[in-house]
Amino acid sequence: MASLADVFTEKESTNWLKAWLAVDIAKSGLDHFAENEAKTLHLNIYNAVWSSVMAPAVCFGCHTANLLNCPTRGVCDKQGANSSCKAMHDTVTNQPRPCPTYVCNKVLDEIKNLHRFARPSWKNTRADLWAQHPWQIAKAYFPPDGYTAKNSVQETDFNGIISFMMNCKHFDNKFSFPICSGQSNPPCLLTKAREIGRTVRHLSQCKLTDADLQVIFTTLTDLLTDPTCLAHIVASQEAVKKLVKLQHDVLKITTEEIIHLLEAVQDKLKKVVQDELKEVFQDKDKEVIQDKVKEVENIAEKTLQEIRLYLEHCRNDLKEQKNKCKHKLDEHTGKCEVKLDEHTGKCKVKLDEHTEQLKNTLDGHSRKHSESKYAKSCEDFLRRLIKHYKDTSSYVPLSVLDQSHDKRIPDIYATPKIHRINIKKDGTRKKAEQVSLYNEILYTNDLANRHIYVQGEPGSGKSTFAAKLVHDWCNKPLMTAPDENTAFDDLMTIEKFKFIFFISLRDVRGQKDIRQMIRAQLVDRMYSEDDLNDVHKLLKKIIETEQCLVVQDGLDEWMAPDGCNLPEPSLTGLQQDTVTVLTTARPWKLADERIKNSQIDILLEIEGIRDPDMFCKKILGCIIDETEDLDKTVKEFQTFVEIRELESLSASPMLYTLVICMWVDTTKEEEQLTGYSLCALYTSLLETLCKKANSTTGYFNDLNPSPVECFSRTSYLQPNIVHLDKLAAAAFKLLFSSERETSIVFSNITLSNYFSQEEFTVCLSFALKAGILTNRKDKSRTSNSNSFIHKTLQEFLAAYYIARNTHVIQDVIVEYLNRYCNSYLDISRVFVFLCGINTVAANELSGLMNECNVAHGYDPFETQFGPSEFQIIIEEGIREAAASKQDGICPTLSQFYIYYNNIQDLHRIWSTNTANVRSLYLGIYATDIQSLPLGSSLARGQQKSHFEFNLSSCHRLKDLRLEGSAIWLKDPASLATSDLPVWMVLNNAEPAQCGDHPSVLPSIAYIKLSFFKCSSSGLRSLFKKLLALDHEVKCTLEDCVITSSVGISSTRIFTKATIRTGSNKTFHIGNKYMIGRGFWEALHGLNIKCLNINGLNAACMEHGKESLFKSLKSLIQLDTLSISAKEFHPTLWKALHGLNIKHLNIKFLNINGLNAACMEGSGSLFQSLKSLVQLDTLTISLEKGKWYMALHQS
């Protein structure tokens, strides 16, 4: 080994030589970084240029001179307008002209814009090589002279590399310090490093002090350990280690390396002397010139002489060593030959023994050294592998449509629901117990499972589970605190694997060998090219000797190379006793008959997540603002999911995440829950799936309009619309098939009925790759079964087909509804989707469904317990149409159950359904008023202060129930209005005013008014309608306030009564508690022939006696009066006075209050009876007590 200290006699000269070598070492640490950044710069520039031109292209025909104007400062030598340029634009082909592809001029502009001083060194670079050689662009940032022929980073000196970093703005974020030259700010490390390079290369004295040398080492080390980038580059840190050894004189340098260094120094020094002499001769003072020349020549000659002497010494030393070795070798060879010849026979045994002992000793040392080296290599490999996973696999995207929106796995991961699938002897597959531990996956009865398959539908969480397994393995020393997900917490199980190799099969299409995939996807990204040969050998040994787990994610997305018929990547070279392979795939891929059951040690199926609520909370926690209440937001979302019946989607993390993200986006736009479109959700889902099969983008526009509105703003549906149309037709025909058992799960044979022979293979392949269809082995073992990924997706596609082929409603769906009982409820989701796509078709379909609802179990009294299932479907359809911005939604509905939460939706369709309605419940209380959507847009462009329901056209209405203090019965004979939010209108005018009108509510059989408020005239109008009917009607009043026309008393009377009207103008009143003045007024002038008042009590008589008197006297058609009173009361006799009735029936429940005053005197019973001049029949009876007096009839 040679030493730098032996070159020069003076230490300061040795310091200079050390500095020279330090600069070379520092350059070696910057080369890899500079080269990679030059490639990145090249890519950024061309990406920026291509994004701004209509047709991105690559140009090789433009020279630098073609792109520069003449004159260009620092390039051209043109002196005046009439002179010509001899430097750059000297030929016809070098004249300025625009690039034919419009690319090169923009590249030149980008280079100039990125130059810190906007003065690139154009003479250095060749524009015709820009497209292929990134270093040609980097050279534009070098010093202007001396770099024309430097075509690689290896050929470029330290000053060029440093200038590239200083002059190019691309490096502004690559260092922890601001880049500045020191003119206006303190010089940065790059500036100091450049000065060091210049000082060392151009120092004619060839000497450096210890202090200056220390500054050089410190500056170069600080630069190479800059924390932003260089500290993470292997080559840079190797250079730092060499600098430390050089600084402490422990760097081992061979004689050959010393010779190479000194030859370079010698050449450079000669050039420096020449440059110094040029500067000397510029001085006009001859004496000064002579002194300087002598000084420069003396210093240079002395240094060069010492270098030449040491070079000669080194060469002689090498030659002498060579001769000595040769002489010793010859001498030893001769001696050995003699000794061998003399002792061959005698020493053969000893020689063999000695050879064997020596071999064993050498093998032992070699093995120990090899094992030590292997262990260190494995440790380094493991460290790099874990770092690679943490950089690339510890984050997963929330949505397939937006890969950039990724989150940490622990932040969004929820425990999956995984079941073991037992493969029986006959080949059938049956779901078995649920697994909760890694041990249950990796081992069966304590035997290792070497071939593990995890199947699951698209979006069920296969990839996330695989990524979480790798995450757990990488972080196993840190997992000390218990996690919320208690399942799969046996980290010691996976710790048994020394290495886990995670392969994304979608990214290695065209490769068939597992080891090749590991090299391409992992090793080649972890090491530099120089190290790959050794690392590939290390990988081979690791796989052969260490316990390894290979995770193959997405077998269904892998494509074998052309001409290869493998169903999965080849496992050739993997040791069965050391390597475990876990493969994730969709069920259709594992239904491939080429994957034998004997190859499967354990089959598992992942079915989404165990706890959707926890998953929901995690996802929302990742996307909502920190200032929002997370628990409250979770509850709001869960309410939304329940209302829209999306609970089934929670089994799929992908679908559920899509729902959550779209819901958050919707609420950010300040829309209500009802403004959330299911069609938009399933369009996004369909787009997500299509992107998996074909990531080509395409758009609907004026020339190529969207088939339906919800597709209009998509990016991945247009290129696949032909396949989607075919699948939609199949979805509809299967769903409405006469064979219901094959409508959801169907064989390939059944599915092929809906495609031509050419279409079937192509469409099936597309649907399986996209995940629209899933395929798995059938229990029969003879075929595979197919189904759509989710029934709701099949229903969405069916609705899309109906919207574009409305004739099928009458041609197909009518027959389907007639064939199956209650089938109209089974297609509810299809109807809701159709409302968001085509309201005309939805209205037509609702009419058929309503007919079925009426025909199958219609009960007019069922509505008192809540809205019918069919009404809920109609409400969903109305909301979906509104959310999808579809006009004209008017579905048919016969049962109305209205309350504050749905009044807006049902009021929209009331006017178009009055001829259909058979029952109406409307319940609105004063406490509900704040919740009513009044003042908001009830119809587009219109605002209302109340909801009005007109009953005049409800000819089929049988059951009417009005409940609540916020409802007002409008009096048709009055122009009065009310500030109550809900108005009920019997008809708009009295029949006398408008001629003959059809009967109002001709089919009504039951009316119930609860907690209701109306005027006596309004109630009278209702009673008139009932008396005009030819059948009995029952009307119940529960705690109703009937206002009087003569003013309202301070005490509000709540009327509780039951009224029955009959075909013979009969009117039966059953008093439950109290009847007030307003009620008696309502009877005034009615066309009643037979009046029956039951349960009359003293309170009724006291609070409304005047109204009762007047009303009874106004009943001019009254023929029969029956009264059942709880007790005697003088008012009763006064009420009877002078009535023009023929029949009177009075019944007393007891004789309380009976005395002489009641029998005789003014206003007595006798006086009243005498006044009944038309009376034919009188019946008086008692429930209790005895009648003591005989009644005399006059």
Side-chain angles (χ1 to χ4, degrees):
M1 290 293 175
S3 172
L4 294 178
D6 298 333
V7 179
F8 297 113
T9 57
E10 298 182 23
K11 184 179 180 182
E12 290 184 344
S13 297
T14 301
N15 288 347
W16 172 70
L17 193 58
K18 274 188 179 182
W20 188 290
L21 182 55
V23 171
D24 281 349
I25 293 172
K27 177 185 176 296
S28 69
L30 295 173
D31 284 354
H32 181 73
F33 172 63
E35 186 174 29
N36 284 343
E37 293 305 321
K39 293 176 182 178
T40 303
L41 173 65
H42 177 269
L43 181 62
N44 292 345
I45 287 176
Y46 270 89
N47 284 341
V49 170
W50 286 336
S51 67
S52 64
V53 296
M54 294 185 62
V58 175
C59 177
F60 303 100
C62 291
H63 298 286
T64 308
N66 299 141
L67 307 176
L68 295 174
N69 295 325
C70 185
T72 296
R73 179 183 176 187
V75 175
C76 300
D77 58 359
K78 184 177 181 180
Q79 300 298 322
N82 297 324
S83 64
S84 60
C85 176
K86 303 297 184 182
M88 177 68 74
H89 305 93
D90 53 341
T91 66
V92 175
T93 57
N94 283 347
Q95 295 305 307
R97 61 168 175 78
C99 174
T101 63
Y102 303 101
V103 170
C104 294
N105 295 98
K106 290 181 177 292
V107 173
L108 181 138
D109 292 339
E110 289 292 328
I111 293 173
K112 185 175 181 181
N113 291 337
L114 287 171
H115 196 287
R116 195 171 306 280
F117 306 105
R119 295 195 302 276
S121 301
W122 299 119
K123 291 189 292 185
N124 286 340
T125 180
R126 291 178 54 183
D128 57 324
L129 299 178
W130 283 351
Q132 286 185 317
H133 298 285
W135 201 248
Q136 284 296 327
I137 291 180
K139 287 165 61 178
Y141 302 96
F142 291 0
D145 299 314
Y147 293 94
T148 304
K150 308 300 182 183
N151 295 319
S152 67
V153 68
Q154 291 78 17
E155 296 175 5
T156 305
D157 62 9
F158 182 76
N159 187 41
I161 299 294
I162 295 296
S163 297
F164 174 36
M165 298 178 186
M166 290 185 64
N167 293 333
C168 184
K169 296 178 183 178
H170 170 76
F171 290 92
D172 284 351
N173 62 346
K174 303 298 180 183
F175 294 96
S176 62
F177 52 83
I179 299 175
C180 55
S181 62
Q183 296 176 356
S184 59
N185 297 295
C188 65
L189 281 176
L190 289 174
T191 303
K192 294 178 181 179
R194 182 178 64 180
E195 291 305 317
I196 288 172
R198 291 174 176 174
T199 300
V200 171
R201 295 295 197 259
H202 300 279
L203 188 63
S204 60
Q205 300 294 329
C206 304
K207 293 181 181 180
L208 277 176
T209 65
D210 290 342
D212 291 338
L213 181 61
Q214 180 61 37
V215 170
I216 290 173
F217 277 119
T218 301
T219 301
L220 295 179
T221 301
D222 289 347
L223 177 62
L224 292 171
T225 56
D226 185 78
T228 301
C229 291
L230 290 173
H232 308 291
I233 297 176
V234 175
S236 302
Q237 300 318 298
E238 291 296 331
V240 171
K241 293 177 182 177
K242 288 184 179 180
L243 286 176
V244 173
K245 292 180 179 179
L246 176 63
Q247 184 178 4
H248 295 89
D249 296 322
V250 294
L251 181 66
K252 296 180 180 179
I253 308 175
T254 63
T255 303
E256 288 84 352
E257 290 173 336
I258 284 288
I259 292 174
H260 178 74
L261 173 66
L262 293 179
E263 287 176 346
V265 172
Q266 184 176 245
D267 293 342
K268 186 65 178 180
L269 188 58
K270 290 178 181 178
K271 187 175 183 303
V272 170
V273 171
Q274 294 173 1
D275 294 341
E276 288 280 347
L277 290 176
K278 288 180 182 179
E279 294 179 3
V280 168
F281 284 117
Q282 292 177 1
D283 197 324
K284 297 180 180 181
D285 190 337
K286 293 183 178 181
E287 293 182 2
V288 173
I289 291 175
Q290 292 176 353
D291 293 340
K292 287 185 177 180
V293 169
K294 179 181 278 188
E295 180 183 354
V296 170
E297 288 179 342
N298 288 338
I299 293 173
E301 183 58 31
K302 180 181 178 182
T303 303
L304 289 172
Q305 182 62 26
E306 289 185 358
I307 291 174
R308 283 194 290 270
L309 290 175
Y310 193 74
L311 278 173
E312 186 64 25
H313 170 73
C314 289
R315 294 190 180 103
N316 292 336
D317 183 55
L318 281 175
K319 186 176 181 180
E320 183 179 347
Q321 289 295 329
K322 181 178 178 182
N323 292 334
K324 285 182 179 180
C325 289
K326 186 175 184 302
H327 177 72
K328 287 183 178 181
L329 183 62
D330 293 342
E331 187 179 70
H332 182 69
T333 302
K335 291 180 179 180
C336 287
E337 288 177 352
V338 172
K339 289 182 179 180
L340 284 173
D341 290 341
E342 292 178 352
H343 301 287
T344 299
K346 296 180 181 179
C347 300
K348 188 175 184 306
V349 175
K350 290 185 177 180
L351 183 61
D352 290 342
E353 292 177 353
H354 179 72
T355 302
E356 185 65 25
Q357 291 176 357
L358 182 62
K359 181 177 180 299
N360 291 337
T361 301
L362 289 175
D363 286 346
H365 286 298
S366 176
R367 184 168 55 255
K368 290 180 180 178
H369 176 72
S370 177
E371 289 175 354
S372 175
K373 182 179 179 181
Y374 171 73
K376 291 181 179 178
S377 299
C378 284
E379 184 179 349
D380 179 64
F381 186 92
L382 181 62
R383 177 183 58 80
R384 292 171 184 259
L385 183 63
I386 292 175
K387 183 179 184 300
H388 174 77
Y389 287 147
K390 289 183 177 180
D391 291 342
T392 60
S393 303
S394 59
Y395 286 79
V396 292
L398 278 178
S399 170
V400 177
L401 290 177
D402 186 2
Q403 295 286 335
S404 64
H405 193 192
D406 57 351
K407 298 294 179 182
R408 292 177 62 251
I409 286 180
D411 293 341
I412 66 170
Y413 182 77
T415 303
K417 187 189 299 180
I418 302 178
H419 287 272
R420 181 192 296 268
I421 304 295
N422 285 339
I423 304 176
K424 296 187 175 182
K425 292 181 180 179
D426 61 359
T428 59
R429 299 180 177 184
K430 185 177 181 181
K431 183 190 297 185
E433 73 279 1
Q434 191 166 313
V435 299
S436 301
L437 298 171
Y438 287 125
N439 184 73
E440 295 172 338
I441 295 176
L442 298 169
Y443 297 92
T444 301
N445 297 328
D446 295 330
L447 295 177
N449 297 317
R450 293 299 181 186
H451 298 278
I452 304 167
Y453 292 85
V454 180
Q455 69 178 18
E457 303 299 347
S460 59
K462 303 183 299 296
S463 297
T464 305
F465 174 71
K468 181 62 163 55
L469 187 153
V470 175
H471 175 83
D472 287 346
W473 178 76
C474 291
N475 295 276
K476 51 187 178 291
L478 304 176
M479 302 291 286
T480 56
D483 192 274
E484 294 181 17
N485 300 293
T486 56
F488 301 103
D489 58 354
D490 54 331
L491 303 185
M492 293 297 293
T493 301
I494 56 175
E495 193 175 353
K496 296 176 183 177
F497 294 107
K498 188 167 184 179
F499 296 94
I500 289 184
F501 300 107
F502 179 80
I503 305 298
S504 175
L505 292 178
R506 74 163 63 182
D507 299 325
V508 289
R509 297 184 179 187
Q511 297 179 0
K512 66 177 183 178
D513 182 71
I514 284 290
R515 292 196 300 179
Q516 180 185 3
M517 295 176 184
I518 296 174
R519 289 197 296 266
Q521 199 168 119
L522 296 175
V523 175
D524 292 357
R525 299 181 184 182
M526 293 158 43
Y527 289 87
S528 63
E529 292 183 8
D530 296 339
D531 300 328
L532 289 181
N533 287 334
D534 292 337
V535 179
H536 288 166
K537 295 176 182 177
L538 173 64
L539 175 64
K540 181 176 182 297
K541 186 173 182 180
I542 287 174
I543 292 177
E544 291 174 351
T545 59
E546 305 293 346
Q547 288 293 322
C548 302
L549 173 63
V550 177
V551 179
Q552 299 183 117
D553 182 44
L555 180 60
D556 50 280
E557 299 179 89
W558 176 71
M559 293 182 61
D562 294 339
C564 176
N565 193 36
L566 289 174
E568 58 183 332
S570 171
L571 305 181
T572 303
L574 302 186
Q575 300 297 319
Q576 292 290 330
D577 57 341
T578 60
V579 178
T580 297
V581 180
L582 186 150
T583 304
T584 69
R586 299 182 192 174
W588 67 264
K589 185 65 177 179
L590 296 186
D592 192 326
E593 61 183 11
R594 293 174 298 171
I595 300 178
K596 309 299 182 184
N597 289 341
S598 58
Q599 298 174 227
I600 303 174
D601 290 338
I602 183 173
L603 176 62
L604 304 159
E605 180 158 14
I606 186 167
E607 298 178 330
I609 47 184
R610 291 188 184 181
D611 189 346
D613 292 339
M614 178 187 294
F615 181 71
C616 166
K617 187 172 183 178
K618 284 196 168 191
I619 298 299
L620 286 173
C622 289
I623 57 180
I624 67 171
D625 193 270
E626 294 179 355
T627 59
E628 297 184 37
D629 188 333
L630 178 59
D631 292 332
K632 179 182 177 183
T633 304
V634 170
K635 290 180 180 178
E636 290 175 352
F637 174 74
Q638 291 170 342
T639 300
F640 160 73
V641 169
E642 183 178 352
I643 292 174
R644 300 314 299 268
E645 296 183 0
L646 299 174
E647 294 93 341
S648 61
L649 297 184
S650 65
S652 169
M654 179 185 74
L655 300 184
Y656 210 45
T657 301
L658 188 63
V659 173
I660 294 171
C661 292
M662 291 189 68
W663 178 80
V664 170
D665 291 341
T666 302
T667 54
K668 284 181 179 178
E669 296 172 2
E670 297 183 356
E671 296 185 13
Q672 300 296 324
L673 293 182
T674 53
Y676 187 93
S677 169
L678 282 176
C679 290
L681 167 65
Y682 279 83
T683 298
S684 295
L685 166 60
L686 202 58
E687 200 175 14
T688 300
L689 298 176
C690 286
K691 183 183 178 183
K692 286 178 173 287
N694 180 11
S695 59
T696 303
T697 57
Y699 308 97
F700 296 108
N701 49 39
D702 294 339
L703 298 178
N704 182 23
S706 173
V708 291
E709 176 62 26
C710 55
F711 286 5
S712 60
R713 289 177 292 278
T714 60
S715 302
Y716 299 98
L717 297 188
Q718 189 275 334
N720 303 297
I721 196 64
V722 174
H723 294 322
L724 291 177
D725 286 343
K726 299 293 183 183
L727 289 170
F732 169 80
K733 293 171 183 177
L734 285 165
L735 199 62
F736 291 91
S737 169
S738 59
E739 300 177 1
R740 299 185 82 180
E741 62 276 6
T742 61
S743 64
I744 305 301
V745 179
F746 39 87
S747 65
N748 283 348
I749 296 175
T750 302
L751 184 61
S752 66
N753 292 330
Y754 309 112
F755 299 90
S756 67
Q757 187 174 356
E758 296 78 13
E759 295 168 347
F760 178 67
T761 302
V762 175
C763 286
L764 180 61
S765 175
F766 166 79
L768 291 175
K769 289 179 181 178
I772 295 174
L773 286 180
T774 180
N775 177 288
R776 61 181 66 214
K777 282 194 174 182
D778 201 353
K779 293 181 180 179
S780 66
R781 295 177 287 113
T782 60
S783 63
N784 297 340
S785 62
N786 303 283
S787 63
F788 285 86
I789 180 180
H790 201 275
K791 184 184 177 185
T792 54
L793 182 61
Q794 182 181 1
E795 292 168 327
F796 176 66
L797 290 172
Y800 166 68
Y801 179 80
I802 296 170
R804 302 196 67 198
N805 303 272
T806 56
H807 63 87
V808 299
I809 297 176
Q810 297 297 330
D811 296 347
V812 179
I813 299 179
V814 168
E815 181 181 352
Y816 175 83
L817 294 176
N818 292 333
R819 186 183 301 120
Y820 301 111
C821 180
N822 292 331
S823 56
Y824 69 100
L825 297 177
D826 296 338
I827 63 170
S828 61
R829 189 61 63 179
V830 176
F831 167 74
V832 173
F833 284 132
L834 193 58
C835 290
I837 301 175
N838 185 333
T839 55
V840 175
N843 293 338
E844 183 179 359
L845 180 58
S846 72
L848 299 177
M849 295 170 70
N850 185 69
E851 289 178 8
C852 294
N853 185 52
V854 173
H856 294 88
Y858 168 73
D859 182 356
F861 300 106
E862 184 182 38
T863 57
Q864 64 179 313
F865 302 111
S868 66
E869 186 174 355
F870 180 64
Q871 177 185 307
I872 294 173
I873 295 170
I874 293 295
E875 290 179 27
E876 288 185 27
I878 296 170
R879 289 194 293 269
E880 181 61 28
S884 301
K885 297 179 175 58
Q886 294 289 315
D887 294 321
I889 186 67
C890 300
T892 304
L893 180 64
S894 293
Q895 293 176 315
F896 278 80
Y897 185 97
I898 303 175
Y899 58 107
Y900 74 93
N901 209 30
N902 66 2
I903 189 170
Q904 180 174 352
D905 294 330
L906 296 185
H907 184 266
R908 289 176 180 173
I909 66 171
W910 172 259
S911 61
T912 60
N913 277 283
T914 53
N916 303 311
V917 63
R918 300 195 177 208
S919 65
L920 169 62
Y921 167 86
L922 200 161
I924 304 292
Y925 288 85
T927 54
D928 299 330
I929 294 177
Q930 295 299 323
S931 302
L932 294 179
L934 293 170
S936 60
S937 179
L938 305 179
R940 293 190 180 180
Q942 179 184 4
Q943 289 190 343
K944 289 189 176 182
S945 60
H946 67 276
F947 295 99
E948 182 172 299
F949 292 86
N950 195 317
L951 305 178
S952 60
S953 300
C954 297
H955 302 310
R956 295 186 178 184
L957 182 63
K958 293 183 178 181
D959 189 336
L960 173 63
R961 306 182 188 221
L962 305 177
E963 181 177 320
S965 55
I967 305 173
W968 180 59
L969 182 62
K970 189 174 185 294
D971 183 2
S974 172
L975 298 177
T977 60
S978 172
D979 58 356
L980 293 178
V982 181
W983 294 8
M984 304 301 300
V985 180
L986 293 176
N987 57 357
N988 291 326
E990 288 294 317
Q993 295 174 307
C994 301
D996 294 335
H997 279 250
S999 299
V1000 176
L1001 303 178
S1003 302
I1004 194 70
Y1006 180 73
I1007 298 175
K1008 183 177 182 179
L1009 308 178
S1010 304
F1011 308 101
F1012 188 74
K1013 181 179 180 180
C1014 68
S1015 65
S1016 59
S1017 59
L1019 187 60
R1020 182 185 307 117
S1021 177
L1022 174 62
F1023 288 160
K1024 282 184 180 181
K1025 310 304 179 188
L1026 302 184
L1027 287 168
L1029 302 178
D1030 59 357
H1031 61 272
E1032 183 177 302
V1033 180
K1034 181 179 179 180
C1035 179
T1036 301
L1037 304 181
E1038 291 282 352
D1039 292 320
C1040 294
V1041 176
I1042 314 300
T1043 58
S1044 172
S1045 59
V1046 298
I1048 302 175
S1049 63
S1050 59
T1051 303
R1052 300 178 69 186
I1053 305 301
F1054 293 91
T1055 298
K1056 291 186 178 181
T1058 301
I1059 298 96
R1060 289 201 310 272
T1061 62
S1063 57
N1064 297 323
K1065 308 296 184 183
T1066 61
F1067 199 94
H1068 176 88
I1069 302 172
N1071 176 39
K1072 295 183 178 180
Y1073 175 71
M1074 174 65 71
I1075 296 179
R1077 174 188 299 170
F1079 178 83
W1080 299 124
E1081 285 186 8
L1083 302 182
H1084 194 274
L1086 294 179
N1087 188 22
I1088 300 175
K1089 290 185 178 181
C1090 180
L1091 175 63
N1092 189 335
I1093 303 175
N1094 187 25
L1096 198 62
N1097 56 29
C1100 295
M1101 303 297 291
E1102 289 295 335
H1103 289 289
K1105 56 186 178 183
E1106 297 299 330
S1107 298
L1108 176 60
F1109 296 163
K1110 292 181 180 179
S1111 293
L1112 287 177
K1113 292 185 183 299
S1114 70
L1115 303 178
I1116 58 176
Q1117 300 295 326
L1118 186 63
D1119 180 84
T1120 302
L1121 174 63
S1122 299
I1123 298 175
S1124 173
K1126 293 184 178 180
E1127 56 196 4
F1128 288 95
H1129 197 280
T1131 305
L1132 175 60
W1133 314 131
K1134 294 180 181 179
L1136 300 176
H1137 193 274
L1139 295 181
N1140 191 26
I1141 58 177
K1142 293 183 179 181
H1143 307 284
L1144 175 62
N1145 301 307
I1146 302 177
K1147 180 179 180 180
F1148 295 103
L1149 299 180
N1150 57 57
I1151 58 174
N1152 294 337
L1154 183 61
N1155 52 38
C1158 293
M1159 304 300 293
E1160 299 178 355
S1162 177
S1164 66
L1165 173 59
F1166 291 136
Q1167 292 297 323
S1168 295
L1169 292 178
K1170 287 181 180 181
S1171 68
L1172 303 178
V1173 295
Q1174 299 294 328
L1175 188 63
D1176 292 336
T1177 304
L1178 171 64
T1179 303
I1180 300 177
S1181 60
L1182 290 175
E1183 259 323 283
K1184 298 178 182 180
K1186 298 180 180 179
W1187 186 255
Y1188 293 101
M1189 297 183 180
L1191 298 177
H1192 174 71
Q1193 180 177 0
S1194 61

